[in-house]
């Protein structure tokens, strides 16, 4: 029987549980981008309560990016010093942490919002160099790896999606070509930074005509694995993986197929709220790793109670106000300190 609190391996990373605290922006920085004491406190509570892996909030490449006002900036003065304290907090609890990079727009030097089709070959090289530099910076700050967000509607999600990418060069057309921009990045990171975990967040599918299909996203994941990616995390807008005891929902069917097609681990998440149904999913599918975001916003250390009691349900009401307000404080419970 699998259990969410099993010790396990995610690639080279040793985890104390199967639970991943997934990317969740903090918006609790002080003037100039410096971290407030509340951020350290939150990491202490998340890492100290039974979380297996933490993925940081998203870091953007450009201060003008769409989500920049709410998320952290990799280029602020205190980044390495302050995040070294954050990663030390996690490591003191034996919890690995990945730095997440996500950007919506790309400024190629000529065009502040160069869409995938507009990007020149020099622009592609610039983008790749910046992502690789971001990985180096994360490693200077003690992160165990990087997660590159190629899901939702972020820039790289559009780049790999046939609906958006109509490039006629080596970076458009076939799956291999559309994914090449990321494959080349992964290969350089894996070659120059041994042991540094590279995780990629992707969408299972979208609903656009001629967009991402389930079959295509599995092909994308295989390309990413071939390039050296260490794990894949799925994201989507409104999903629930809950197992109803009779029929598997379509995401679990997809997840099983994806997991069966890859040798690297896959992390599922979205709307997971109670230990019993999460263990049901673990034991009725191939799923081995599960992520949560909003439950940690409602109560940063709820997993400690679940672990102690052998059961539990998040107090999160899934109202999504934390997302709408673009803060990571809970509308109902505020900053929970119980
Ligand atoms: C306040 C808030 C901030 C978020 N920030 C990020 C982020 O920085 N990076 C990311 O990939 N996803 C982010 N997400 C999406 C979550 O990672 C997650 O995919 C989504 O909330 C669904 O999971 P859940 O039902 O467990 O909350 C955020 C979600 C919320 C509610």
């Amino acid at each position: 029987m699998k259990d969410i609190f099993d010790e396990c391996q995610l690639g080279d990373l040793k985890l104390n549980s199967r639970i991943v605290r997934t990317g969740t922006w903090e918006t609790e920085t002080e003037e100039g981008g410096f971290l407030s004491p509340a951020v350290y406190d939150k990491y202490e509570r998340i890492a100290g309560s039974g979380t297996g892996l933490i993925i940081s909030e998203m870091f953007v490449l450009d201060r003008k990016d769409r989500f920049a006002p709410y998320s952290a900036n990799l280029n602020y003065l205190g980044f390495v010093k302050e995040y070294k304290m954050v990663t030390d907090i996690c490591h003191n609890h034996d919890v690995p942490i990945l730095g997440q990079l996500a950007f919506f727009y790309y400024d190629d030097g000529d065009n502040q919002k160069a869409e995938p089709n507009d990007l020149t070959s020099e622009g592609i090289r610039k983008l790749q160099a910046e992502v690789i530099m971001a990985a180096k910076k994360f490693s200077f700050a003690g992160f165990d790896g990087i997660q590159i967000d190629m899901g939702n509607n972020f820039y790289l999600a559009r780049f790999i999606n046939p609906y958006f990418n109509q490039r006629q060069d080596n970076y458009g057309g076939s799956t291999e070509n559309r994914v090449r921009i990321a494959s080349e990045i992964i290969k350089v990171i894996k070659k120059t930074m041994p042991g540094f975990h590279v995780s990629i967040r992707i969408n299972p599918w979208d609903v656009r005509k001629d967009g991402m299909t389930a079959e295509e996203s599995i092909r994308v994941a295989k390309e990413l694995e071939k390039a050296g990616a260490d794990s894949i995390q799925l994201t989507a807008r409104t999903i629930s993986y809950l197992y109803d005891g009779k029929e598997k929902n379509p995401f679990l069917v997809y997840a099983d197929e994806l997991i069966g097609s890859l040798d690297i681990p896959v992390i599922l998440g979205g709307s997971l709220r109670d230990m019993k149904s999460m263990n049901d999913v673990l034991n009725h599918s191939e799923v081995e790793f599960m992520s949560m975001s909003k439950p940690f916003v409602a109560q940063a250390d709820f997993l400690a109670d679940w672990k102690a009691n052998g059961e539990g349900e998040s107090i999160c009401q899934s109202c999504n106000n934390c997302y709408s307000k673009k803060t990571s404080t809970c509308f109902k419970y505020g900053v929970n300190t119980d």
Side-chain angles (χ1 to χ4, degrees):
M1 290 280 280
K2 290 187 270 179
D3 186 274
I4 60 169
F5 289 112
D6 290 338
E7 288 185 6
C8 51
Q9 287 281 137
L10 182 109
D12 287 343
L13 301 175
K14 194 179 150 309
L15 311 193
N16 294 322
S17 78
R18 299 178 184 276
I19 304 298
V20 178
R21 194 304 295 257
T22 190
T24 308
W25 55 57
E26 306 293 350
T27 332
E28 282 178 27
T29 48
E30 290 173 346
E31 205 160 326
F34 293 94
L35 294 184
S36 69
V39 175
Y40 298 107
D41 180 52
K42 196 179 300 180
Y43 274 101
E44 180 68 47
R45 294 176 68 209
I46 295 171
S49 54
T51 310
L53 170 71
I54 296 178
I55 299 175
S56 75
E57 64 181 313
M58 69 171 79
F59 288 84
V60 293
L61 278 179
D62 191 326
R63 277 187 299 126
K64 297 182 288 298
D65 209 278
R66 180 159 166 183
F67 296 112
Y70 327 116
S71 50
N73 185 340
L74 201 63
N75 296 316
Y76 80 92
L77 208 55
F79 170 75
V80 171
K81 187 171 170 225
E82 292 198 334
Y83 273 91
K84 181 72 177 67
M85 291 196 265
V86 169
T87 58
D88 280 350
I89 289 172
C90 300
H91 293 153
N92 284 341
H93 292 284
D94 292 325
V95 177
I97 175 168
L98 309 181
Q100 191 193 51
L101 188 74
F103 48 100
F104 195 83
Y105 301 121
Y106 188 67
D107 179 354
D108 68 0
D110 293 327
N111 183 349
Q112 285 192 353
K113 291 184 182 174
E115 279 300 316
N117 290 337
D118 310 327
L119 208 56
T120 59
S121 41
E122 292 78 13
I124 287 178
R125 291 288 172 262
K126 179 173 175 288
L127 183 154
Q128 291 175 317
E130 286 176 11
V131 176
I132 293 161
M133 278 309 297
K136 301 261 182 223
K137 274 195 147 181
F138 282 136
S139 85
F140 295 154
F143 286 91
D144 301 279
I146 185 171
Q147 181 176 74
I148 304 171
D149 200 334
M150 297 175 61
N152 300 115
N153 215 19
F154 285 107
Y155 192 84
L156 291 172
R158 303 200 297 284
F159 204 101
I160 58 172
N161 190 322
Y163 175 88
F164 292 100
N165 181 332
Q166 278 93 39
R167 297 181 68 95
Q168 302 295 319
D169 59 3
N170 279 350
Y171 294 88
S174 65
T175 313
E176 184 184 5
N177 279 2
R178 276 178 280 113
V179 178
R180 187 184 308 280
I181 190 166
S183 303
E184 291 175 344
I185 292 171
I186 296 167
K187 282 180 191 162
V188 173
I189 296 176
K190 292 308 293 181
K191 188 162 179 198
T192 58
M193 302 172 69
F196 198 67
H197 191 99
V198 178
S199 177
I200 310 284
R201 205 168 189 196
I202 62 169
N203 298 323
W205 56 70
D206 63 18
V207 288
R208 293 184 184 94
K209 189 173 177 300
D210 302 323
M212 188 59 71
T213 60
E215 298 73 33
E216 177 60 10
S217 78
I218 290 176
R219 284 193 288 271
V220 164
K222 282 179 165 173
E223 285 296 324
L224 295 167
E225 177 182 50
K226 200 164 84 188
D230 296 290
S231 64
I232 298 287
Q233 187 188 4
L234 293 174
T235 181
R237 277 185 196 144
T238 49
I239 48 178
S240 168
Y241 295 119
L242 301 190
Y243 176 74
D244 72 359
K246 294 184 214 91
E247 274 185 52
K248 279 188 187 173
N249 88 25
F251 282 98
L252 279 180
V253 175
Y254 165 85
D256 278 348
E257 206 179 320
L258 177 67
I259 293 165
S261 311
L262 300 174
D263 287 327
I264 55 172
V266 173
I267 305 165
L268 282 208
S271 307
L272 297 168
R273 297 293 180 266
D274 73 281
M275 185 165 163
K276 182 180 176 310
S277 50
M278 290 169 72
N279 276 336
D280 278 351
V281 171
L282 283 177
N283 289 296
H284 291 95
S285 72
E286 300 302 317
V287 173
E288 299 206 41
F289 305 95
M290 298 177 140
S291 69
M292 293 196 258
S293 168
K294 289 187 279 288
F296 288 100
V297 177
Q299 186 187 346
D301 52 10
F302 71 98
L303 281 179
D305 296 338
W306 289 23
K307 200 170 178 183
N309 300 333
E311 60 170 8
E313 184 165 354
S314 169
I315 57 173
C316 172
Q317 312 272 303
S318 301
C319 68
N320 236 14
N321 261 293
C322 54
Y323 184 88
S324 319
K325 285 191 305 174
K326 301 283 180 275
T327 76
S328 58
T329 39
C330 181
F331 180 70
K332 184 156 182 191
Y333 302 106
V335 179
N336 187 298
T337 52
D338 290 342

